[in-house]
Amino acid sequence: MSLETALLIVLCGVGGVLAMVLVDVARREREVSRIARELLNHDIASNARILLHVHTPALEALAQAINALLEAEQERAIAHRRSREAFQEDLAALSHDIRTPLAGAQGYLQLARMTDNAQEHSNDIVRAEERLSSMRTLVDGLFEYAQATDPSFSPECVPVALMPVLSEVLADMYPRFIAREWEPHISIDDETVAVLADERALTRVLENLMTNALRYGISAPRIVSQTKEDRVALCVSNDVPDASALDTNKLFDRFYRAETARSGEGSGLGLAIVAHLVDAMGGEVQAWLDQSTLTIEIIPVKACDMA
């Protein structure tokens, strides 16, 4: 075989290999272009995923990564839609809860204007004021919730003695306990313990816990604080009228109220505010039922003792 013939055979072989490489590159390029078009036209609500027409390790890795991102994005979209729907339901419930006392107040004011009886006039005015007070409670709760959930809210946590704050809250609420003929049962194992907290936020947490017990409980609250090496657990327990109507998994959700409590005062935001404030201060909160007794526990971060 001549040198020229051998060289021609080599060149033909190289050309064939090069042609095969170019064809393979073109197939991969078309596949990538097809994937790009599918992504541009992809509906996030669709369950469709990228399916390969050309299989190579690199393309398979690319498809897996893209499909993982599509699934994550779809889950975020579903969570966002559910959150939006839940918020709309919450707003509808809140709107109803605000309109009801407002309509009641308007009705009693109309009755007051229509009567010539001084006693009936006075009674109608009192009832109108009660309905307006109930509406004010709802609006105040909404404002406090907005403050607690504001992304810019950053509590200034410093060592705060727990017992003096609790004592002040109980003293402020003493008339309400007397009105119900209740005396809270208090057990504090370490009256010098301090927690890392924003004092105003901690006060609001304790106020909301006491208000919740007063508003929805049927027995005086039992307040127990236990201190261990690295934590402080403060529990507020009281009996409730219908434990089966409570869902402790939803107790800290905004606007949540048991059906048996929907006709009373309150916005359904008190415990949601508790959860947000405790979380913002680095603590934990949980609730559970033991037969007819509801217990809400907050676990703030322990600080140094303040003897």
Side-chain angles (χ1 to χ4, degrees), residues 137 169-170 173 176-177 180 182 203-217 221 236 238 265-267 270-271 274:
T137 298
V169 168
L170 291 174
M173 293 193 167
R176 297 176 62 181
F177 284 115
R180 298 204 62 172
W182 282 2
T203 299
R204 173 54 63 193
V205 166
L206 297 177
E207 286 176 346
N208 285 9
L209 291 177
M210 295 304 115
T211 297
N212 186 76
L214 281 160
R215 184 170 288 156
Y216 304 117
V236 178
N238 64 293
E265 292 185 2
S267 60
L271 294 182
V274 167

Side-chain angles (χ1 to χ4, degrees), residues 6-59:
L7 182 59
L8 181 60
I9 293 173
V10 170
L11 290 175
C12 288
V14 171
V17 172
L18 181 60
M20 292 176 60
V21 170
L22 290 176
V23 169
D24 187 54
V25 169
R27 290 174 62 240
R28 297 186 191 193
E29 184 176 349
R30 287 195 298 272
E31 183 71 348
V32 171
S33 297
R34 183 188 63 80
I35 292 173
R37 288 193 300 271
E38 286 193 18
L39 288 175
L40 287 174
N41 298 321
H42 185 269
D43 181 0
I44 194 60
S46 171
N47 290 323
R49 296 293 181 261
I50 298 299
L51 299 176
L52 292 177
H53 297 168
V54 177
H55 292 270
T56 69
L59 288 174

Side-chain angles (χ1 to χ4, degrees), residues 196-264:
L196 288 176
D198 181 302
E199 187 167 346
R200 291 181 61 184
L202 179 61
T203 299
R204 173 54 63 193
V205 166
L206 297 177
E207 286 176 346
N208 285 9
L209 291 177
M210 295 304 115
T211 297
N212 186 76
L214 281 160
R215 184 170 288 156
Y216 304 117
I218 57 174
S219 67
R222 296 174 290 281
I223 305 165
V224 178
S225 174
Q226 294 182 326
T227 305
K228 296 184 179 180
E229 292 183 0
D230 59 348
R231 56 175 264 170
V232 179
L234 179 70
C235 295
V236 178
S237 304
N238 64 293
D239 295 334
V240 292
D242 185 5
S244 64
L246 281 176
D247 185 345
T248 54
N249 293 320
K250 296 181 179 179
L251 203 58
F252 301 105
D253 291 352
R254 65 181 180 226
F255 302 127
Y256 173 77
R257 281 186 288 169
E259 289 302 317
T260 55
R262 291 209 63 84
S263 60

Side-chain angles (χ1 to χ4, degrees), residues 74-269:
Q74 186 179 44
E75 289 176 0
R76 282 193 291 269
I78 292 173
H80 177 71
R81 185 180 70 250
R82 289 175 177 170
S83 177
R84 184 175 66 249
E85 291 172 353
F87 184 67
Q88 290 172 342
E89 292 175 359
D90 290 341
L91 284 181
L94 180 64
S95 176
H96 173 270
D97 288 344
I98 290 178
R99 285 200 304 267
T100 298
L102 179 59
Q106 290 174 327
Y108 281 117
L109 289 175
Q110 290 175 358
L111 290 174
R113 285 196 297 267
M114 293 168 59
T115 184
D116 294 328
N117 185 293
Q119 185 60 49
E120 290 182 359
H121 181 275
S122 177
N123 291 340
D124 290 336
I125 293 297
V126 169
R127 294 190 180 98
E129 290 176 344
E130 290 173 349
R131 300 308 188 275
L132 292 174
S133 176
S134 177
M135 189 176 69
R136 175 64 182 270
T137 298
L138 291 168
V139 174
D140 286 348
L142 187 61
F143 178 70
E144 290 175 4
Y145 179 79
Q147 286 184 313
T149 57
D150 187 338
S152 65
F153 172 66
S154 179
E156 297 182 5
C157 294
V158 297
V160 177
L162 179 59
M163 190 59 186
V165 178
L166 176 60
S167 298
E168 185 173 350
V169 168
L170 291 174
D172 289 342
M173 293 193 167
Y174 181 74
R176 297 176 62 181
F177 284 115
I178 291 298
R180 298 204 62 172
E181 299 182 348
W182 282 2
E183 181 178 350
H185 305 283
I186 305 171
S187 175
I188 308 294
D189 67 349
D190 183 359
E191 296 188 0
T192 68
V193 72
V195 296
L196 288 176
D198 181 302
E199 187 167 346
R200 291 181 61 184
L202 179 61
T203 299
R204 173 54 63 193
V205 166
L206 297 177
E207 286 176 346
N208 285 9
L209 291 177
M210 295 304 115
T211 297
N212 186 76
L214 281 160
R215 184 170 288 156
Y216 304 117
I218 57 174
S219 67
R222 296 174 290 281
I223 305 165
V224 178
S225 174
Q226 294 182 326
T227 305
K228 296 184 179 180
E229 292 183 0
D230 59 348
R231 56 175 264 170
V232 179
L234 179 70
C235 295
V236 178
S237 304
N238 64 293
D239 295 334
V240 292
D242 185 5
S244 64
L246 281 176
D247 185 345
T248 54
N249 293 320
K250 296 181 179 179
L251 203 58
F252 301 105
D253 291 352
R254 65 181 180 226
F255 302 127
Y256 173 77
R257 281 186 288 169
E259 289 302 317
T260 55
R262 291 209 63 84
S263 60
E265 292 185 2
S267 60
L269 290 169

